[in-house]
């Protein structure tokens, strides 16, 4: 079996260090030196692997999004009913992995950074488009003709919950934020489509 080379190991360590440092400081205003120190390597080596701090931020964002989409696929496996699949998409958005303080802080800072970086802005659009496309696909069976507005509402609740969690802190936040989005889904089913027990 071939051994994993040092480059992917070090790149992975740097990506995790970016997320940790952003979470610790609550801002993207961290230095390559801080990131490299957290990853256990020199600033020169960090620059060698990524070229710039911005490239590290983009790589960290890709990493978070990849983990999220992998978790979505795993959680949807074997589920065929549209309502259950929408509920799974919502609950996965608020999974323990995604609600880790460092991850939520990184998300919020990526939103801010997207105003300055075209690449980060594009990545966020990819994330939003994929989430809303998945929601619309399932909601089309539940609330035909209203799938776009309901999907937009669910996505807005998810984004808003993350922003409030970061700004208010974990100790001043609902334990199960997914319930807000689930309640909105169930109310939308009553208003626009067929109501099913939940």
């Amino acid at each position: 079996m071939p051994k994993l080379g040092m480059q992917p190991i070090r790149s992975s360590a740097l990506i995790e260090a970016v997320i940790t440092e952003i979470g610790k400081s609550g801002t993207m205003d961290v230095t390559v030196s801080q990131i490299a120190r957290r990853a256990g390597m020199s600033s020169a080596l960090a620059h060698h692997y990524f070229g710039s701090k911005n490239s590290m931020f983009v790589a960290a964002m890709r990493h978070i999004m990849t983990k999220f989409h992998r978790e979505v696929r795993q959680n949807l496996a074997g589920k065929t009913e549209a309502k259950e699949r929408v509920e799974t998409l919502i609950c996965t958005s608020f999974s323990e992995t995604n609600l880790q303080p460092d991850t939520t802080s990184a998300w919020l800072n990526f939103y801010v950074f997207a105003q300055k970086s075209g690449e980060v802005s594009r990545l966020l659009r990819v994330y939003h488009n994929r989430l809303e496309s998945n929601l619309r696909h399932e909601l089309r069976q539940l609330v035909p003709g209203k799938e776009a507005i309901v999907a937009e509402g669910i996505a807005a609740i998810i984004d808003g919950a993350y922003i409030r969690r970061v700004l208010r802190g974990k100790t001043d936040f609902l334990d199960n934020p997914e319930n807000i989005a689930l309640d909105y889904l169930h109310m939308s089913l009553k208003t626009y489509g067929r109501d099913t027990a939940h």
Side-chain angles (χ1 to χ4, degrees):
M1 173 182 277
K3 293 183 178 179
L4 189 63
M6 286 308 296
Q7 179 166 346
I9 292 173
R10 286 173 172 161
S11 296
S12 179
L14 282 166
I15 288 169
E16 293 295 342
V18 169
I19 297 169
T20 300
E21 284 298 319
I22 292 174
K24 180 181 176 183
S25 67
T27 176
M28 302 285 277
D29 190 24
V30 296
T31 66
V32 173
S33 177
Q34 288 174 285
I35 294 167
R37 191 180 311 115
R38 172 76 60 175
M41 65 186 74
S42 68
S43 297
L45 195 56
H47 276 295
H48 170 73
Y49 284 118
F50 285 100
S52 70
K53 187 170 70 171
N54 285 1
S55 295
M56 293 181 196
F57 290 154
V58 171
M61 185 174 177
R62 288 184 186 279
H63 174 72
I64 290 173
M65 290 174 62
T66 298
K67 284 175 63 178
F68 171 70
H69 292 308
R70 185 185 303 124
E71 189 175 5
V72 166
R73 288 194 301 271
Q74 290 173 345
N75 291 346
L76 286 175
K79 295 180 173 64
T80 58
E81 294 185 3
K83 179 171 177 285
E84 184 182 20
R85 289 175 66 84
V86 175
E87 290 172 337
T88 298
L89 285 167
I90 291 171
C91 290
T92 303
S93 296
F94 294 105
S95 71
E96 183 177 351
T97 299
N98 292 306
L99 285 179
Q100 290 296 314
D102 289 351
T103 302
T104 57
S105 181
W107 268 113
L108 182 60
N109 280 282
F110 286 141
Y111 272 60
V112 175
F113 192 51
Q115 308 305 307
K116 302 177 182 178
S117 168
E119 187 169 8
V120 172
S121 179
R122 184 185 64 79
L123 285 173
L124 281 175
R125 284 198 302 274
V126 169
Y127 158 73
H128 283 127
N129 290 341
R130 183 179 296 184
L131 174 62
E132 291 180 33
S133 175
N134 288 339
L135 288 169
R136 286 195 301 270
H137 176 75
E138 305 302 337
L139 289 165
R140 196 169 291 121
Q141 305 174 53
L142 301 169
V143 288
K146 296 292 184 178
E147 63 272 8
I149 191 170
V150 176
E152 177 73 19
I154 291 171
I157 291 169
I158 292 170
D159 285 343
Y162 270 87
I163 292 170
R164 288 171 67 84
R165 184 179 181 87
V166 172
L167 296 179
R168 296 174 65 179
K170 184 178 179 181
T171 57
D172 188 28
F173 192 75
L174 293 174
D175 289 335
N176 300 103
E178 67 275 12
N179 288 339
I180 302 171
L182 290 171
D183 283 348
Y184 173 78
L185 167 65
H186 300 148
M187 285 188 290
S188 296
L189 292 181
K190 289 181 180 179
T191 302
Y192 300 124
R194 63 173 185 271
D195 181 28
T196 52
H198 63 273

